Amino acid sequence: MISNQILQSTIDGLKGITRIDLCIIDTEGKVLAATFPDAERFVEPAETFAASPADSQVISGCQFFKVFDEHQLEYVLLAVGDSEDVYMVGQIASFQIQNLLVAYKERFDKDNFIKNLLLDNLLLVDIYNRAKKLHIDTEVRRVVYIIELNRDKEGNELEKIRGIYGGKSKDFVTAVDEKSIIVVKELSENENYEDLNKTAEVILNLFRGDAERDIHIAYGTIVGEIKDVSRSYKEARMALDVGKIFFEEKNIIAYSTLGIGRLIYQLPIPLCKMFIKEIFDSKSPDDFDEETLVTINKFFENNLNVSETSRQLYIHRNTLVYRLDKLQKSTDLDLRVFEDAITFKIALMVVKYMKYMESLDY
């Protein structure tokens, strides 16, 4: 169904050109849009006209028209004015609203198709049959973006993004829940992952002014067929979750950059607990003091380089060696040895993942 705002702007535009007043009433007798204040007085004549077999009729000095959607009466439009062109303007208005009905219905059908495609609710044969019926290309490069933000009740964010991508018939903007907006974007042959990140930056900049918002944007890998769009969506969804755990400082995260975090995210919690117990025995990385944790993280950032780490921490090289020795005594892991460093790094990530999952339980 067309929104009342669209109907109002349509008849306002026609009045501005023709100086003829227009009113749209639905089949339940409700005035949806009007260019004059006392439109309610025409409700009863409109209901009488709606029940008649005529497609257009003059009642109480007004020209009435019926607007159909596939032979189903949707609206009654009336035109009021002294001009001889009232009938012609009314016909133009009813024709324009009929075209809007067709356009909105096609948009709804496409939106419904994309939602079911993303959620894997369609059989393979149905995907291609419906795509063909809706004139959607099946073999072009696409990628799925998920934009997560605290949406307000008016849903202005959805329209804001549609203002950039929704107007293009080849891109789709939709939502499958209250928290996030999804963009299925068609790509040209020469667009790569660097370009995808630039697109994410453009979307992020739309909401830069909303300082209170915690905005996250994630995107999956590029797919070449429409049947694989749901895979890109699942990848983007995983990137969104994994990004919150291991890359909380980033607003934009790509599935292809998740690294080992993607594997850890798929581990069952009991297995994670078993692993941590084997590595740290009765201890936990949470038990380390702030100084130790800062030292560990800085050591990893500098690729296990003792000299560079001590320089950035503004401490003597021997002080850093002492801290690493102390850590080795308590954990039996020497971070200067690559294999031990890898084990420790994974263990820290597993603990971070477990804490995040526990927070979701509450």
Side-chain angles (χ1 to χ4, degrees):
M1 190 65 69
I2 308 172
S3 68
N4 292 359
Q5 290 88 344
I6 297 293
L7 291 171
Q8 187 67 56
S9 63
T10 300
I11 62 175
D12 282 343
L14 285 167
K15 183 188 177 179
I17 299 171
T18 64
R19 299 184 181 277
I20 291 173
D21 279 311
L22 298 163
C23 174
I24 300 171
I25 301 171
D26 66 14
T27 53
E28 295 178 357
K30 182 181 177 181
V31 176
L32 303 180
T35 59
F36 53 93
D38 56 341
E40 296 290 339
R41 63 191 175 93
F42 290 104
V43 169
E44 191 174 332
E47 290 176 335
T48 303
F49 168 64
S52 72
D55 288 341
S56 65
Q57 192 175 357
V58 177
I59 305 175
S60 303
C62 295
Q63 187 72 52
F64 284 74
F65 300 87
K66 289 179 180 175
V67 180
F68 295 92
D69 178 22
E70 292 187 357
H71 309 293
Q72 176 72 35
L73 180 63
E74 288 290 338
Y75 305 117
V76 170
L77 181 138
L78 61 97
V80 186
D82 300 326
S83 170
E84 295 178 357
D85 297 329
V86 170
Y87 179 79
M88 182 187 70
V89 171
Q91 275 194 318
I92 293 171
S94 62
F95 181 71
Q96 193 162 341
I97 293 168
Q98 195 132 15
N99 284 342
L100 282 172
L101 275 170
V102 172
Y104 267 71
K105 189 171 182 180
E106 183 176 334
R107 174 172 158 179
F108 174 79
D109 287 345
K110 284 185 177 180
D111 189 66
N112 189 46
F113 169 70
I114 292 297
K115 283 180 180 177
N116 283 305
L117 179 66
L118 294 170
L119 298 174
D120 270 338
N121 290 338
L122 296 170
L123 296 173
L124 187 61
V125 65
D126 291 334
I127 291 174
Y128 286 94
N129 287 341
R130 290 187 64 182
K132 184 178 180 182
K133 185 178 179 182
L134 293 168
H135 308 292
I136 298 173
D137 289 335
T138 57
E139 294 185 356
V140 293
R141 300 169 81 239
R142 289 186 175 93
V143 69
V144 176
Y145 289 88
I146 299 179
I147 304 102
E148 186 178 85
L149 36 76
N150 297 318
R151 296 173 60 192
D152 61 27
K153 293 179 181 178
E154 290 78 22
N156 294 332
E157 301 85 353
L158 189 63
E159 294 307 319
K160 196 180 283 189
I161 295 173
R162 274 186 176 147
I164 299 180
Y165 301 105
K168 301 177 183 178
S169 60
K170 294 181 179 180
D171 297 329
F172 304 98
V173 180
T174 188
V176 295
D177 57 45
E178 291 299 318
K179 292 182 179 179
S180 52
I181 297 168
I182 300 162
V183 178
V184 182
K185 191 174 187 305
E186 183 172 320
L187 307 173
S188 62
E189 285 300 323
N190 58 350
E191 283 186 273
N192 54 33
Y193 285 98
E194 187 178 337
D195 297 314
L196 299 191
N197 209 68
K198 289 177 182 176
T199 299
E201 286 283 359
V202 170
I203 297 171
L204 185 63
N205 286 332
L206 285 175
F207 305 101
R208 285 284 190 195
D210 302 337
E212 297 179 359
R213 297 202 173 187
D214 189 18
I215 302 164
H216 296 93
I217 300 174
Y219 56 92
T221 55
I222 298 170
V223 296
E225 291 191 46
I226 197 164
K227 68 180 176 64
D228 295 323
V229 165
S230 63
R231 191 189 79 212
S232 186
Y233 169 68
K234 289 171 187 172
E235 291 170 346
R237 179 61 66 187
M238 180 183 284
L240 199 62
D241 292 337
V242 176
K244 290 177 188 175
I245 303 171
F246 304 118
F247 308 96
E248 61 265 47
E249 74 284 355
K250 292 185 178 181
N251 294 105
I252 298 170
I253 189 74
Y255 177 80
S256 58
T257 64
L258 296 180
I260 198 169
R262 189 170 78 214
L263 299 176
I264 293 172
Y265 179 74
Q266 297 178 79
L267 293 174
I269 294 297
L271 187 62
C272 292
K273 289 181 178 178
M274 191 185 304
F275 174 70
I276 295 301
K277 193 173 188 320
E278 288 174 1
I279 299 300
F280 297 109
D281 193 18
S282 59
K283 301 180 185 66
S284 167
D286 292 336
D287 298 332
F288 297 137
D289 57 59
E290 185 66 25
E291 182 183 80
T292 302
L293 288 172
V294 169
T295 302
I296 293 167
N297 290 326
K298 188 61 70 174
F299 193 55
F300 284 140
E301 283 177 22
N302 288 288
N303 300 314
L304 315 185
N305 187 310
V306 174
S307 299
E308 184 60 25
T309 302
S310 59
R311 188 186 70 80
Q312 290 189 20
L313 289 173
Y314 301 103
I315 60 175
H316 194 276
R317 190 177 190 278
N318 291 343
T319 304
L320 176 60
V321 171
Y322 169 75
R323 290 181 187 177
L324 294 174
D325 287 340
K326 184 180 175 183
L327 186 65
Q328 182 182 359
K329 286 179 183 178
S330 64
T331 63
D332 289 328
L333 293 172
D334 185 356
L335 299 194
R336 289 158 292 192
V337 177
F338 181 75
E339 188 174 337
D340 285 357
I342 287 291
T343 302
F344 201 96
K345 177 67 173 176
I346 291 173
L348 289 177
M349 293 179 73
V350 168
V351 169
K352 206 169 189 181
Y353 164 63
M354 288 167 60
K355 288 176 70 175
Y356 176 80
M357 296 306 291
E358 285 172 8
S359 70
L360 292 184
D361 292 339
Y362 295 104

